[in-house]
Amino acid sequence: MGRDAGRLSLILLFAPFVLWIGLLIILPQLGIGYVSLREKVGINQYEFGLGNYADFFGEPIYRNTLLRTAWMSILVTALALVLGFPIAWYIAKIAKERSRAALFLMCLIPLWVSDLVRAYGWIVLLRETGVISTALVNLGVINQPVEMLYNDVTVVIGLVYTVILFMIVPLVSTLQGMDDALLEAGYNLGGSRLTVFRRIIVPYAMPGIVAGCIITFMLTAGSYLTPILLGGKNSSWFTEQIYDQFITRYNWESGAAFGFLLLAFSSLVVWLGLKLSGQSLATTVARS
């Protein structure tokens, strides 16, 4: 009876998680995969095949947009890591215990508002008649207002601002477990700051680095509002292509195929990142 009760308790404990994964992640992806294989041959008449995927590979603009989205997402991830690591190190190793909660709260502030509000905040700051341009004119730095929106730099800034928290949190979680004696041993053995950082800190923090990179890359590649609003007509983001297929053209079959390709391509990039870093997904999740 005791063993059966324990097994029932375990099932009830994990049932919500299994339902969440199954109903909100696995089942929708299976549905998208099913729709992507349908080819419309008439009114409410479909055949199954790979025609929607052939359309993608046959059109250079679709391929180039996906590759550009991947490259920009990798750049945003790298910048988030470079900017987020010192912040995470300060919170985990330098800040006092009492101030850590306040620092975390400051990092969480951007998440208190929606992506739409954050994007419009950047628009207010960077548009031609915005705060920054007007201030520079009043200070005499520039002679006339400058449009700072609708370019790749603005899109990258907006995306880094959006995802950097998801880089900081796993880094802090990993770095807090590092024993300071490791650092002292490295310095006592004659290691410089760069050597200690490269040979001790980075290897120890690697699970947090990988976890943060995976999260930020996936969030960036799947972002829609920030690239569209800050990039304007010059934006070329793959989620815009997916939206165009679903909403503008009402071509759900091609939209599903594009969405499935984005998921597959992002998963491939994550897998390559894990291989190059020598990490496994299970180890990364466990240590971060």
Side-chain angles (χ1 to χ4, degrees), residues 6-213:
R7 185 177 302 174
L8 179 60
S9 300
L10 187 63
I11 293 174
L12 293 176
L13 178 65
F14 283 98
F17 175 75
V18 173
L19 288 175
W20 175 63
I21 294 293
L23 295 178
L24 298 181
I25 298 180
I26 297 178
L27 189 59
Q29 296 304 324
L30 292 176
I32 289 176
Y34 171 80
V35 174
S36 70
L37 295 175
R38 298 193 311 183
E39 298 178 36
K40 188 177 293 185
V41 295
I43 300 177
N44 295 327
Q45 293 181 350
Y46 300 93
E47 291 181 355
F48 287 93
L50 300 176
N52 297 311
Y53 294 95
D55 292 340
F56 168 84
F57 289 106
E59 181 57 55
I61 189 174
Y62 296 147
R63 301 196 308 270
N64 293 337
T65 302
L66 178 58
L67 293 175
R68 184 179 184 277
T69 300
W71 155 243
M72 294 285 286
S73 299
I74 292 173
L75 176 61
V76 169
T77 301
L79 290 174
L81 176 60
V82 171
L83 296 174
F85 198 97
I87 298 174
W89 178 262
Y90 183 85
I91 294 175
K93 290 298 180 182
I94 300 177
K96 296 181 180 179
E97 190 72 27
R98 295 179 179 179
S99 61
R100 288 177 183 174
L103 292 172
F104 258 119
L105 183 62
M106 292 177 61
C107 294
L108 285 171
I109 288 176
L111 296 183
W112 291 2
V113 296
S114 66
D115 289 344
L116 183 63
V117 175
R118 288 199 298 268
Y120 274 109
W122 284 109
I123 292 174
V124 170
L125 289 174
L126 300 176
R127 65 182 178 180
E128 188 174 359
T129 58
V131 175
I132 295 178
S133 181
T134 302
L136 292 176
V137 171
N138 293 334
L139 292 173
V141 178
I142 56 177
N143 296 325
Q144 58 184 7
V146 176
E147 181 62 80
M148 301 179 186
L149 288 172
Y150 314 128
N151 56 70
D152 289 343
V153 175
T154 305
V155 173
V156 169
I157 292 174
L159 288 172
V160 171
Y161 173 76
T162 301
V163 303
I164 191 170
L165 172 67
F166 300 97
M167 180 68 74
I168 293 174
V169 170
L171 284 173
V172 171
S173 177
T174 303
L175 291 172
Q176 280 182 334
M178 175 184 288
D179 192 343
D180 292 339
L182 292 175
L183 304 178
E184 295 176 3
Y187 290 124
N188 291 336
L189 291 174
S192 63
R193 290 186 177 182
L194 180 60
T195 301
V196 171
F197 176 78
R198 182 172 56 88
R199 300 292 296 272
I200 298 177
I201 297 176
V202 171
Y204 190 93
M206 187 56 67
I209 293 173
V210 173
C213 288

Side-chain angles (χ1 to χ4, degrees), residues 225-255:
L225 282 176
T226 300
I228 299 304
L229 292 177
L230 299 185
K233 295 181 179 179
N234 298 324
S235 174
S236 182
W237 212 259
F238 195 65
T239 49
E240 184 181 6
Q241 300 285 354
I242 298 174
Y243 177 89
D244 183 62
Q245 295 294 330
F246 273 114
I247 306 301
T248 305
R249 301 185 182 184
Y250 204 69
N251 188 346
W252 283 49
E253 290 73 29
S254 291

